[in-house]
Structure formats: structure tokens, C-alpha cells
Amino acid sequence: MILNIYQAYYKQEQVPHLDPAFITYDNTINAQPHLREYPMWQKLLEKHKDTDSYWGLMSWLWFEKTRVPAQVFKNWMLENPGFDVYHIDPFPDLPHQYANIWTQGDVWCPGMIDFCNRLFPKLGIETRVEDYIYAPFDFATCNYFVGNSKFWTSYMDFLAKCLKLCAEDYALNEYIYVKGKEYNGHFVPNFPFVTERLFSLHNILNPNVTVKKYPL
């Protein structure tokens, strides 16, 4: 298994927090900060699309959130070959508190339930989000995942589809780009809080993509 796991930083003072077992990714220019990882994923997909590499892009806050050294995570992947995507969720208590990560998200980003109940039917999901039960395996609250070309091609197509549906619907578009919350001292639109939850939804809707979750 060929692993290319990147760790992005946005400011020079974040560099000391990076794990040397990851590949440093300089995003100090950060022309579209409200889109978070999405533009970087697009560049990395283009770079790795014709390779056998498993790749992913981690936050500079990786260890602070997971408490798992990068090499330990990489070794776990190598010891469990054969899956299309591997991920870790640093908040293992959430499945015991919420039906799914959308209802959990509504607590922090009010309006997310209404957003889902407007978006889900456009995706062919007939279940209202309040009644959508996620298994603990499906919970993923951070973009901490590493996948092969099969996963990334499917996932990025799914993201593009969801963003197109949002662009065509005023209420959906306003929720992800205009509405938001104060986060780490500055206003952040709901875009990253929605897209990070689309990872698990993609996996549920695409059972042909095999998933392995790190056991915290």
C-alpha cells in the first residue's frame, strides 16, 4: 500500500505542530479559506488520480484532536489492507448522544436539520434527517480520511453533485455560503461544517466503497 498523507498548514506558526510522518502541505496562500480542504482535494485528486496511491489531507490540529501519532495511524492502515478508505473520528462519544451527525450539527450550526430535509430528497433520500439512524461506524466529524482513487473519484463526484444542488436552490446556497458561526475567533460560513458531514453520507449511499474506521 502506497501512502501519501498530507498535513496542511495555513500559518508559519502552525509548522511546529506538524507530524513528520505526514507530508507537509503549504497552504499559506489560502485563496479560498471558506472552502477549507475542498480546493486542496481537487489539486491532490488531479495529482494522484492515475496512481495506486492512498492519499488524504489532515489538519495541522491532527494530534491535538486525535491524540494518535501519525505513524501509528499509518501502521494501522498497513496492517488492515484491502479497504477503499480509512478514517478516524476523534469524538467517539457522539454516537451515544445523537441519531446522526446532522442532528448533532444542528446544535452547533442551527438550521442544519432544515438544510438536510431540503437537500436529502434531491439526493433520493426519503427519510427525514430526524429519523435517519447512523451506526457508530458511520460517524465521522472531521476530514480525517485516506482513500484510493476509487474512493476519491466517487467522493469528489458526490461533493460536486451536492454543491451543484445547493447552487440551484437559494435556501441551500444561503445556508452553506452566507450563514455561519463564530469559530476560533472569526466568522466561518457553514460550508465546512456541512461538507465534513457529507463524507459519511457518501459512504452510506455507496456501499460499494469499502470503509475501515480506526478504533478509538
Side-chain angles (χ1 to χ4, degrees), residues 2 7 13 65 88 105 110 122 127 130 140 147 159 172 208-209:
I2 302 171
Q7 188 173 29
E13 55 263 35
K65 287 191 174 183
I88 183 171
K122 299 176 186 292
T127 306
E130 300 95 324
L159 276 183
L172 296 178
N208 62 309
V209 175

Side-chain angles (χ1 to χ4, degrees), residues 70-139:
Q71 193 59 55
V72 172
F73 182 66
K74 292 172 68 175
N75 290 343
W76 168 75
M77 291 181 58
L78 295 171
E79 292 163 3
N80 293 275
F83 294 86
D84 295 314
V85 62
Y86 301 79
H87 74 100
I88 183 171
D89 185 357
F91 304 106
D93 58 315
L94 294 182
H96 306 290
Q97 301 178 40
Y98 300 95
N100 57 64
I101 55 175
W102 300 103
T103 54
Q104 178 269 337
D106 191 79
V107 175
W108 306 103
C109 304
M112 191 170 286
I113 287 177
D114 292 337
F115 170 85
C116 290
N117 285 331
R118 194 174 182 95
L119 175 65
F120 281 13
K122 299 176 186 292
L123 295 171
I125 301 171
E126 298 180 358
T127 306
R128 289 182 62 81
V129 71
E130 300 95 324
D131 302 320
Y132 207 150
I133 307 299
Y134 274 27
F137 175 83
D138 295 320
F139 274 71

Side-chain angles (χ1 to χ4, degrees), residues 170-210:
Y170 177 82
L172 296 178
N173 194 70
E174 182 180 44
Y175 184 77
I176 63 171
Y177 292 116
V178 179
K179 296 182 179 180
K181 62 176 291 184
E182 289 294 319
Y183 186 74
N184 289 338
H186 59 278
F187 178 81
V188 178
N190 286 322
F191 182 92
F193 307 120
V194 168
T195 54
E196 67 187 0
R197 288 169 171 80
L198 288 173
F199 167 74
S200 54
L201 183 62
H202 163 269
N203 297 341
I204 291 170
L205 297 178
N206 293 273
N208 62 309
V209 175
T210 56

Side-chain angles (χ1 to χ4, degrees), residues 4-12 14-15 18-19 22-30 36-45 47-48 55-60:
N4 285 289
I5 309 179
Y6 301 86
Q7 188 173 29
Y9 69 95
Y10 306 84
K11 300 177 182 179
Q12 289 297 327
Q14 296 167 353
V15 173
L18 304 183
D19 192 310
F22 288 144
I23 301 168
T24 300
Y25 191 106
D26 183 349
N27 193 45
T28 50
I29 296 177
N30 199 16
R36 298 300 172 102
E37 291 92 345
Y38 189 58
M40 292 180 277
W41 286 340
Q42 291 175 310
K43 293 178 181 178
L44 289 170
L45 177 64
K47 178 177 181 178
H48 293 290
W55 64 270
L57 180 69
M58 307 305 173
S59 162
W60 66 277

